[in-house]
Amino acid sequence: MYKNLTSLIQKPLSFLFNRTIKSLVLPDQKTKRKSKKQSGLTALDELLFRYTKPNQQFLDAKYGFNAQFIVYENNANYCDLSKSYSGENNEKHQNNYKNIVLPLIMIYGCHLYINDDTKCFFGSSSLKKNQLDQRVVLLQYAANNPIEDRYKVSQLKNINGYAVSVFDGHGGWQLAELAMNILHEKIDQYVLRNQDKLLNQDDLIQQSISQAYSDVEEEFYKVALQAYNMGFPSVARVGSCALTAIVVGNKVYSANLGDSKGIIVNVYNKTNEKAYKKINHTLNANSKKEQRRLKSIFSDDDIVVCKNGNKSCYVKGRLQPTRSLGDFRLKFQEFNNPKNISEDKGYLKSISNFKGPYISSTPDQNVFEIQKGDRYLVLGSDGLWDELTKSEISKIVQKNQNNKDEIIKQIFEESLSHAAKSNKMSDEDIRKIPLGKRRKLHDDITVILVDLQGQV
């Protein structure tokens, strides 16, 4: 679908150009400076990227393989575990679910039954090694309108294993959407291409991941540069953090850009509070390690700017993630307002004496062996980790280790409860805040729970 993204936008770009871009960019012809609080893409940018807009119909085979699917709404009960829906009744429920488009409230289970039955249950089953069936439960709770998080779960075709990813978009959902659609497919393609050259499994998987991430970056660069040069400056600020985990045999391969996090929880280790191991490092400007790395590279530059008593730090005072997809204003001079166009037209002030790229799109990679008792892999966008610690999540997992439904339910409820307390609100009241306004209280939350049972 995205093999040639450039060609997808040529027609809409030409159309927009012929309809006079200047009048569309500034429809009210006002010269008033935009508020610093104004964020996201303009209406024109939305038109430009409408070809990558999400389908928003979640009962669709493209989201995966056989597992469970539950929708939880504000005033609804959890799905009746005793029911399965088929025939005419199933069609009714499918239509109801399809009407719950983004911003949705909550999704359980990113895989769907690809048959006439939409089943709604969680139960134990025999898990086949390296097979995705029945392993994954997913939760997503929107704060932005529209939500900027994305996720992907895929059975790999060219190696006996499976992949899961969380994409946390910022400045818009477009790049997270693109990554969701093409990253896993590209990883699988590179595994096939590299098999004859790389016999070592670790090297094969890690190099394939690197090449796939590079392709996503290049695909978006082609689109973004054309858009930027035609007068759509917001594309320079579109980016996405990304965390990918690939499970093959007794190994977990992780690749990370930004501040999403993942842990492996050991259900046997109940005496030691730290019953988890991190699968990635947080790559943002608040990290002392990342600050030291950046300052060693840009020793004569004001590379890290901290605010709020050094609690919030940013690369060049502009972005917290130190690695990400996109965010081309910090990577390339051509997105750094080289013509010094007025800020009234949406362009940011140029970075003087530009020495970028200041941030990288090369993922930080790690390999972990699955040990006895390592039962669950948990991946989440930073909206989760803003609310709950790794230790808190590992305790939820240990307490409910044989009930994926209960794990995901408690993760959701406790993260939302923490956000409510932080904002001096009740749990009930915070759920009533509409999307968009809710973003001031907490971020988008995406969590993927993977059962590793049988992998060792």
Side-chain angles (χ1 to χ4, degrees), residues 106-299:
M106 191 173 183
I107 305 176
Y108 279 109
C110 57
H111 313 309
L112 312 174
Y113 282 91
I114 310 173
N115 54 33
D116 293 332
D117 291 26
T118 302
K119 298 186 179 180
C120 188
F121 69 90
F122 287 83
S124 60
S125 61
S126 175
L127 299 179
K128 294 181 180 180
K129 187 175 183 179
N130 297 326
Q131 297 299 305
L132 200 52
D133 269 9
Q134 305 295 319
R135 289 191 182 276
V136 174
V137 182
L138 182 138
L139 172 152
Q140 192 168 65
Y141 188 79
N144 287 293
N145 187 10
I147 188 171
E148 293 181 334
D149 280 7
R150 295 291 186 273
Y151 62 86
K152 186 73 173 182
V153 180
S154 303
Q155 183 72 47
L156 298 175
K157 299 176 182 177
N158 297 316
I159 194 167
N160 196 14
Y162 49 88
V164 295
S165 291
V166 172
F167 307 102
D168 185 355
H170 46 261
W173 47 262
Q174 286 78 3
L175 184 46
E177 174 79 9
L178 173 61
M180 179 189 75
N181 278 287
I182 70 174
L183 179 67
H184 285 194
E185 180 182 345
K186 286 184 173 292
I187 291 173
D188 217 3
Q189 290 171 352
Y190 278 116
V191 166
L192 181 62
R193 294 180 197 177
N194 294 330
Q195 279 177 347
D196 293 337
K197 297 179 287 185
L198 298 169
L199 299 178
N200 179 283
Q201 177 178 287
D202 292 359
D203 292 342
L204 173 64
I205 293 175
Q206 289 188 307
Q207 181 166 318
S208 298
I209 289 173
S210 292
Q211 290 170 306
Y213 266 85
S214 179
D215 278 5
V216 175
E217 179 91 341
E218 290 179 13
E219 287 283 348
F220 193 69
Y221 177 90
K222 297 173 190 175
V223 176
L225 185 59
Q226 289 192 48
Y228 191 85
N229 288 338
M230 294 188 72
F232 310 128
S234 296
V235 298
R237 305 194 290 276
V238 176
S240 181
C241 298
L243 174 59
T244 297
I246 293 178
V247 181
V248 178
N250 70 333
K251 290 187 175 182
V252 175
Y253 298 85
S254 72
N256 182 52
L257 295 173
D259 48 19
S260 295
K261 298 176 187 176
I263 59 174
I264 297 172
V265 180
N266 190 297
V267 296
Y268 290 172
N269 188 354
K270 294 186 178 181
T271 56
N272 181 357
E273 184 177 344
K274 191 174 180 180
Y276 63 86
K277 52 189 171 187
K278 300 187 298 183
I279 67 167
N280 67 294
H281 303 291
T282 302
L283 302 173
N284 69 27
N286 290 331
S287 164
K288 299 299 181 184
K289 182 178 179 180
E290 283 297 279
Q291 288 181 14
R292 290 192 294 269
R293 183 183 67 82
L294 287 170
K295 289 176 182 178
S296 68
I297 299 172
F298 302 97
S299 55

Side-chain angles (χ1 to χ4, degrees), residues 286-350:
N286 290 331
S287 164
K288 299 299 181 184
K289 182 178 179 180
E290 283 297 279
Q291 288 181 14
R292 290 192 294 269
R293 183 183 67 82
L294 287 170
K295 289 176 182 178
S296 68
I297 299 172
F298 302 97
S299 55
D300 59 345
D301 202 337
D302 190 16
I303 185 64
V304 177
V305 178
C306 295
K307 305 173 184 179
N308 299 326
N310 293 331
K311 292 181 180 180
S312 301
C313 300
Y314 302 82
V315 179
K316 297 297 289 182
R318 289 165 169 81
L319 184 73
Q320 284 200 325
T322 54
R323 299 195 200 189
S324 71
L325 294 166
D327 294 304
F328 294 139
R329 62 180 175 144
L330 288 171
K331 291 177 179 176
F332 306 111
Q333 177 64 34
E334 53 265 40
F335 290 90
N336 187 38
N337 195 8
K339 298 179 181 179
N340 290 316
I341 301 174
S342 170
E343 293 180 56
D344 294 335
K345 297 184 179 180
Y347 287 83
L348 295 178
K349 184 178 180 181
S350 301

